[in-house]
Amino acid sequence: MDRDTFISKRTKNNYVEVHHLIPLSRQDDFKASLDCSENLCCLSPLAHRSIHYGRGVDAIKVIYKVLEGKRATLLKFGVNEDYLLRSYGIE
């Protein structure tokens, strides 16, 4: 996770956002539900927005950091890195 976050008033912990590694918009490609714990990761607000709204190079940096701990998820769903990057509009 990127360290660009802040302390939450409510929890007194680093504020993070939950992200689906394989986007839910790709659900039609899979029999198993993508809305499961294996497909979730916690990101700093900056990292989360970088994936969704950043330039390809910025999104790729975050995606590859997340992949370090989530390769088993990709295998479970039969997804390779190229498919994942295309899912985010990165060719």
Side-chain angles (χ1 to χ4, degrees):
M1 183 182 85
D2 199 337
R3 298 287 179 221
D4 294 324
T5 190
F6 55 90
I7 302 299
S8 166
K9 286 191 293 189
R10 188 176 60 82
T11 67
K12 309 295 189 257
N13 293 314
N14 284 338
Y15 180 84
V16 295
E17 298 176 346
V18 177
H19 174 73
H20 290 89
L21 179 60
I22 303 167
L24 293 179
S25 63
R26 303 303 248 180
Q27 181 61 65
D28 289 346
D29 294 344
F30 301 92
K31 291 180 183 176
S33 175
L34 294 176
D35 198 13
C36 62
S37 60
E38 295 94 345
N39 192 34
L40 297 176
C41 57
C42 292
L43 300 173
S44 73
L46 178 61
H48 195 197
R49 283 166 182 74
S50 293
I51 286 178
H52 288 290
Y53 308 113
R55 299 173 301 159
V57 66
D58 296 320
I60 287 171
K61 287 178 191 176
V62 177
I63 291 168
Y64 276 103
K65 279 184 183 180
V66 171
L67 284 178
E68 290 173 11
K70 288 291 192 172
R71 292 202 188 275
T73 296
L74 292 181
L75 292 175
K76 175 185 175 185
F77 287 100
V79 170
N80 64 30
E81 292 175 13
D82 290 336
Y83 174 90
L84 188 63
L85 293 175
R86 283 193 313 275
S87 296
Y88 291 105
I90 301 167
E91 300 294 328

